[in-house]
Amino acid sequence: MKPSRSALLSLGSALVLSATVALPSAAQAAPAPVHADGGAVVREWYDITAQTVAAAGAPTQVTNSRTWAIGWIAAARAGREAPGGRDRAAFQDAAVASAVHDALVDLAPSRTAVLDAALAETLRRIPDGRAEERGLAAGARQAKLALADRRGDGLDPASVNAPFTVPAAAPGVWQPTPDGYAPAAQYGNRVAKPFLLDSPDQYRIGPPPALDSRRYRADLAEVRAYGAADSTVRTARQTETAAFWYGSSLTLYTEPLRVAVTRSQGSAAERAALVGLFHAALVDTQIATSDSKYAYTRWRPVTAIRTGAIAPDRTWTPLHQTPAHPDYPSGHNTYSGAAEVILDALAGPRTAPFALTSPTAPGVRRTYTSWEQLTRDNVDARIFSGIHTRSADEAGVTLGKAVGRHALSNAGALLAPLG
């Protein structure tokens, strides 16, 4: 089935790319000539990027998001250098493959042999000639410049997990949580260099509900009832939702973004721009999340329920182990909020049904038809897991959407070729 007509990449105040009709998945298909459709090379290198990150990625999610962003921003920039005319597609295909290859070799050197073989296979199917040669050179140049631009940006694992001095225990104040009582994670994100934000605190959200407020009491009562390991009110479907969305947001959103890219009818450069902008926005979202988290250092539900003033229960245990950073806002939900905004703008708010699986819920397949449905499930999942309050989840969505809109408004500067 051919994709529906989409694709307008306007680089100035916004970037728009839309598509609506399903294409068969390329994941199981044999390699086709790269010009059989405009997205073959993009899909190939999308999957190669996902495989590279899975095999040789960093232990910190934001570092892996950075890897995606650097390679695909370079690819979009290189593709934009293509001249007009019939050789434009060959130039862009070579540019995308070259840029992503070179970025991945630099950021995941243990995969060099695999990446070199993949590039040779892609180039074998691009017509030889000046367009291919110029595309290769453009990709290599833009990858080198993009890598240089991000050196020392504070998104390496050691910087991301910079030491945090835990404040003295007090009502509402974050403390390490059971079972492991691990030290705080992701504190260093809040001083990392964003891709597009002016500063990490540019969209810092307002404070969480006061401990004596009606909203706080409602939040705590909800997570106490629905998020307990031994909950008697949480349904089987709700338990499944919690498990499904418990894993890495980067992992869980890899397939939805691939769906959007596959169903687009844009050029290779336009599809690369979708991937690059998505991940740049999500890096910035994770930076902004840590800024707000550590500005407010709000305690997690398990600490509030076990030690707080409202019906303390020292035996209460959440369904899932609590991550080692403050409650407010929820990182999963800032991620989903930003992803929703980017995908709504670039792929349209609704799409033909697509199936999604999760490594934290083996055997479960869920079907979605809009990006907003992913956000809604994320909000509920963190409550059903017992690890976030609804206020933290909803604040996360608000923050993520703000960062996503900022990325869309500033896409032109991000994707303009360097050098």
Side-chain angles (χ1 to χ4, degrees), residues 111-183:
R111 301 287 290 177
T112 297
V114 174
L115 294 165
D116 287 350
L119 180 61
E121 175 58 24
T122 299
L123 296 179
R124 183 183 67 78
R125 293 181 289 113
I126 297 175
D128 292 338
R130 181 167 170 75
E132 180 191 50
E133 293 171 0
R134 292 177 65 194
L136 275 171
R141 181 174 59 257
Q142 291 301 329
K144 182 178 180 180
L145 291 169
L147 287 161
D149 183 57
R150 297 304 300 184
R151 300 286 185 215
D153 60 9
L155 291 170
D156 58 284
S159 298
V160 167
N161 287 326
F164 171 70
T165 301
V166 178
V173 176
W174 182 83
Q175 301 291 300
T177 53
D179 294 330
Y181 295 94

Side-chain angles (χ1 to χ4, degrees), residues 154-386:
L155 291 170
D156 58 284
S159 298
V160 167
N161 287 326
F164 171 70
T165 301
V166 178
V173 176
W174 182 83
Q175 301 291 300
T177 53
D179 294 330
Y181 295 94
Q186 302 175 16
Y187 177 65
N189 277 359
R190 68 195 306 257
V191 294
K193 174 185 174 183
F195 277 88
L196 286 161
L197 293 177
D198 297 328
S199 65
D201 65 354
Q202 185 173 358
Y203 293 101
R204 183 182 292 175
I205 53 175
L211 299 184
D212 59 355
S213 68
R214 180 178 300 178
R215 178 63 192 266
Y216 174 76
R217 287 180 172 274
D219 280 344
L220 203 62
E222 181 182 32
V223 74
R224 184 196 296 265
Y226 285 90
D230 59 355
S231 173
T232 59
V233 296
R234 188 181 58 242
T235 67
R237 174 74 176 183
Q238 290 168 338
T239 301
E240 180 186 282
T241 297
F244 192 94
W245 289 99
Y246 185 62
S248 157
S249 292
L250 175 63
T251 300
L252 287 162
Y253 272 87
T254 296
E255 181 60 21
L257 178 57
R258 190 184 191 280
V259 167
V261 170
T262 298
R263 294 177 181 183
S264 161
Q265 198 182 4
S267 69
E270 290 166 343
R271 298 187 200 214
L274 167 55
V275 180
L277 183 62
F278 180 96
H279 283 287
L282 270 302
V283 168
D284 283 7
T285 296
Q286 292 171 81
I287 291 171
T289 298
S290 290
D291 170 76
S292 285
K293 276 183 179 289
Y294 286 99
Y296 298 116
T297 57
R298 181 63 153 222
W299 61 5
R300 286 280 188 161
V302 65
T303 308
I305 293 170
R306 289 189 178 189
T307 68
I310 302 173
D313 179 357
R314 294 190 176 276
T315 67
W316 188 89
T317 301
L319 175 63
H320 290 129
Q321 185 164 333
T322 301
H325 39 76
D327 176 57
Y328 184 89
S330 159
H332 267 56
N333 282 289
T334 55
Y335 198 107
S336 63
E340 179 187 336
V341 164
I342 298 295
L343 291 171
D344 276 1
L346 307 189
R350 297 192 64 81
T351 186
F354 68 92
L356 191 60
T357 60
S358 167
T360 52
V364 176
R365 289 172 65 87
R366 291 204 161 181
T367 300
Y368 294 94
T369 57
S370 74
W371 320 116
E372 187 273 338
Q373 291 170 341
L374 307 178
T375 303
R376 190 165 60 240
D377 274 3
N378 262 290
V379 169
D380 289 339
R382 309 310 271 175
I383 298 162
F384 300 150
S385 284

Side-chain angles (χ1 to χ4, degrees), residues 48-67:
I48 289 165
T49 306
Q51 293 158 9
T52 301
V53 169
T60 43
Q61 175 175 274
V62 72
T63 310
N64 293 326
S65 297
R66 172 187 184 269
T67 295

